[in-house]
Structures are given as structure tokens and as C-alpha cells.
Amino acid sequence: MNRLYHESEDWVEQGACRQYDPELFFPVSTTGPGRADAELAKAVCRTCRVRQECLNWALRAGEPHGVWGGTTPEDRRYLRRDLLPAAS
Ligand code: SF4
């Protein structure tokens, strides 16, 4: 397990994704044929009661791969950009 989980591992045990094949959450691509898997993973995340904790972790960790908290890596790049203070 990734050492970045240390600060709070409880949410990981409660993830809805634990009922699914982990590969679904790591599609080869979020475009083309992989897009369907990414959308299905995001649909699972929408049912997940620890979605916010998961997304917070992925944003803090800068997780570059996979669907976390209902977001793809591209989604998270946009979110991080929007959350960062504007450069002066
Ligand atoms: S938000 Fe998605 S990836 Fe995160 S724990 Fe829940 S189901 Fe898994």
C-alpha cells in the first residue's frame, strides 16, 4: 500500500470500489476505448460514501493515474489548477 495513505487509512476500507476489479479504476486511457471503463469507474465513485476523502487524498498526493474520488487524472489536473492561487 502506498505510504501516503498513512494519515487516514480508514476511508480506503470503506470504498465502494472494493467490490470491483481494481483494473476498472486504472483504465489504459480515459479517451477512446478506455473511456467506457473510466465512466463506469466514475459511476461507482458517485455511489461511494468516502468519495470526498478519496478525492482529497488524490489531490494532495498528486496521484497521476487512475480514477479516484470520481475524477480522472485530467479532471484532477483541472481541479488543482482551479484550486491553486493565481500566480501574481
Ligand atoms: S471514491 Fe471511487 S476510487 Fe475512491 S474509494 Fe470511493 S469508489 Fe473507490
Side-chain angles (χ1 to χ4, degrees):
M1 180 176 282
N2 190 318
R3 66 184 173 84
L4 291 173
Y5 285 125
H6 277 304
E7 66 184 63
S8 175
E9 296 179 17
D10 291 349
W11 63 266
V12 175
E13 303 300 323
Q14 299 173 46
C17 50
R18 294 180 64 86
Q19 310 299 319
Y20 293 84
D21 183 342
E23 289 190 20
L24 178 65
F25 292 81
F26 291 92
V28 176
S29 167
T30 55
T31 60
R35 183 177 179 145
D37 282 349
E39 290 301 321
L40 186 52
K42 289 169 83 170
V44 173
C45 292
R46 285 193 290 273
T47 72
C48 182
R49 65 183 180 177
V50 293
R51 181 179 177 187
Q52 191 62 58
E53 290 89 339
C54 181
L55 176 58
N56 290 347
W57 176 84
L59 289 171
R60 280 197 308 273
E63 176 57 53
H65 305 290
V67 172
W68 296 85
T71 63
T72 63
E74 292 78 20
D75 296 332
R76 293 192 297 276
R77 275 197 291 277
Y78 284 117
L79 282 171
R80 280 194 300 271
R81 187 187 63 193
D82 290 346
L83 293 173
L84 288 174
S88 55

